[in-house]
Every structure is written in C-alpha cells, then in structure tokens.
Amino acid sequence: MKLSLCIGHRGIASRAPENTLLGLRAAVEKGFSWVEVDVRPARDGVAVLSHDESLLRCGKADVLVSQTDSAVLSTIAVGAGFGGELAQQTVPTLLSALQMAAELNLGVVIEIKSELGMGVQSATAAVAALSQAPSSVCVLFSSFSQVAVNEALLQAPHIPRAFTCEKLPDDWRTLAARIQPSHFHCDTDFLTPQDVTAVKEAGLGVYAYTVNDAARAEALFDMGVDGVFTDKVLNISKK
C-alpha cells in the first residue's frame, strides 16, 4: 500500500490541536495527503481520537477516556496551548474523523492505542467505526500492540496493517508472518540502515516517527525509508 512521503502526525500537531477535526483540515491546507490519528474506545465502546488515556495534557481535564461516554467527551475542549476556535476543539469520534477524511480526500493511519489487556476491545471499536465510514476513505491500521494488530487482521483482513515499535524487534520476521503487516513504523532514534534494508528486502515498507527536522528526514530517505510521520511542514528536496 502506497502512503505519502510525509504523514501528518496526530493531524498536524504543530498547527492545530492534535487528534481533532480542525487538525485534519489544517493538515490538508498544509499539503498533506495522509495523516495519523490515535484511537481508543470510550466507555460506551465508541472509538474516539485521543493519544493519552487521560485528557489532562490536551484538555486540562482530569478525565479518563475509558471511563467517559463519547457524547460527554465531545463536549470537552482539548485545544490547550492554542487560541480562538482551535482552543475549543473537542474529542471527535473516529467515525466523524473518517467522514471528514473522505470529504477531504485524506488518507488516515489509524493507530489503535491499547493498554494492557485491551487490544481486542480497542481494535474492535476501530473496526466498527470503519464499517460505518464512507467506502471511499483510504485507511491503514497500526498499533504497538500485537494483539490489536492481529485482531484487526481477523476482523478486517482487507484493511492493510502496520506494526509500530520503538526498535525493530529481533523476531520481526516471525511477527510479520503472523500478523501480516504491510509496513513497520519505527522510532527514528532507533532505526538503523541495516533494519531498513532488511525490511525492504522482505517486501515491506518502513516509516519513521516522529521526524520534525528536514535534515533528519533527508537522511532517512537516503537510508531507504518510505516516509516519515511529522508534526511540521518539512521542506525537503526528495520528491
């Protein structure tokens, strides 16, 4: 599956509150054709956009996503650090984000966040939202959780998957045979040229996160990385 060279991280986190609908619009306005969003289930089982378990960092609200219904989350502002309309952005459902992405012709990497023992539930919520979304929306599932990625494979085998990790696991070939990813998403600080070469020779893609420096992005592209996740608009020469 072909993604874009630069993928907006959590929308475009340097220009709009992360994991919000305006963040998706801002990414398109800045020229992105793909974004990544973080997804977890609310108390009612509805998949919503939130990187953290709590809204304390983004919304200054001591609220746990897993213990709050999606309708309530949709009323909580999570634009801390921004002003005006951006500051009032609230927690959207994954379905609403996918509906907007379809309108914007925006591809979405859905990172399934999963605390211990929650992989199946988290993946189920994400797949359920996708099943209601416009068929035109282009998506890829990803997760740090092998359980979540495997569950996505079982429930939606037609949707491509990626395994996200800090350092490429020593047993990545065995893992790939089991969960059948199309990509590995690796932390830029731990990714080596040897890792990139090995994964590419196996016919899989490699993306690096989170890359906010153009020179580092260029170095990664020289290594053979297919693309990067970024909070910023990077001025790079590679086409």
Side-chain angles (χ1 to χ4, degrees):
M1 181 182 191
K2 181 67 174 178
L3 306 181
S4 59
L5 197 66
C6 293
I7 298 174
H9 185 232
R10 305 180 192 175
I12 179 68
S14 68
R15 301 298 181 96
E18 65 182 57
N19 290 310
T20 62
L21 297 183
L22 276 185
L24 301 188
R25 289 196 179 279
V28 171
E29 290 170 0
K30 294 302 178 182
F32 288 86
S33 59
W34 277 81
V35 295
E36 175 264 358
V37 297
D38 302 295
V39 174
R40 58 178 67 247
R43 183 171 60 182
D44 53 10
V46 174
V48 298
L49 271 55
S50 179
H51 178 274
D52 301 351
E53 295 180 72
S54 162
L55 300 186
L56 193 58
R57 177 176 60 88
C58 293
K60 306 303 181 186
D62 192 9
V63 172
L64 292 176
V65 173
S66 63
Q67 296 181 13
T68 310
D69 288 342
S70 56
V72 176
L73 292 170
S74 70
T75 68
I76 300 176
V78 287
F82 292 86
E85 183 183 11
L86 292 175
Q88 300 307 312
Q89 284 293 285
T90 59
V91 179
T93 64
L94 173 58
L95 177 57
S96 65
L98 293 176
Q99 289 169 334
M100 175 173 285
E103 294 174 5
L104 298 173
N105 195 28
L106 182 66
V108 182
V109 176
I110 301 171
E111 181 169 325
I112 303 170
K113 309 304 290 187
S114 174
E115 278 62 60
L116 187 63
M118 294 290 289
V120 171
Q121 180 179 345
S122 297
T124 297
V127 171
L130 181 59
S131 71
Q132 302 174 63
S135 60
S136 61
V137 68
C138 194
V139 303
L140 177 140
F141 285 128
S142 71
S143 184
F144 283 91
S145 165
Q146 295 184 33
V147 172
V149 177
N150 188 64
E151 190 64 24
L153 167 63
L154 293 174
Q155 294 193 31
H158 59 293
I159 302 298
R161 296 156 302 283
F163 183 68
T164 306
C165 51
E166 288 188 342
K167 185 179 184 298
L168 188 70
D170 292 337
D171 65 344
W172 67 267
R173 290 179 177 83
T174 301
L175 175 63
R178 184 168 69 254
I179 63 176
Q180 302 172 37
S182 58
H183 301 85
F184 279 91
H185 298 165
C186 304
D187 189 326
T188 180
D189 292 335
F190 297 99
L191 194 58
T192 68
Q194 293 78 14
D195 290 338
V196 176
T197 298
V199 173
K200 296 297 289 293
E201 287 180 348
L204 303 176
V206 184
Y207 278 71
Y209 70 89
T210 303
V211 183
N212 291 326
D213 178 77
R216 176 56 178 166
E218 295 276 12
L220 287 164
F221 295 139
D222 289 341
M223 285 166 50
V225 166
D226 295 285
V228 299
F229 294 87
T230 180
D231 296 319
K232 300 180 177 181
V233 177
L234 298 177
N235 294 315
I236 53 176
S237 59
K238 184 175 177 64
K239 302 299 182 183

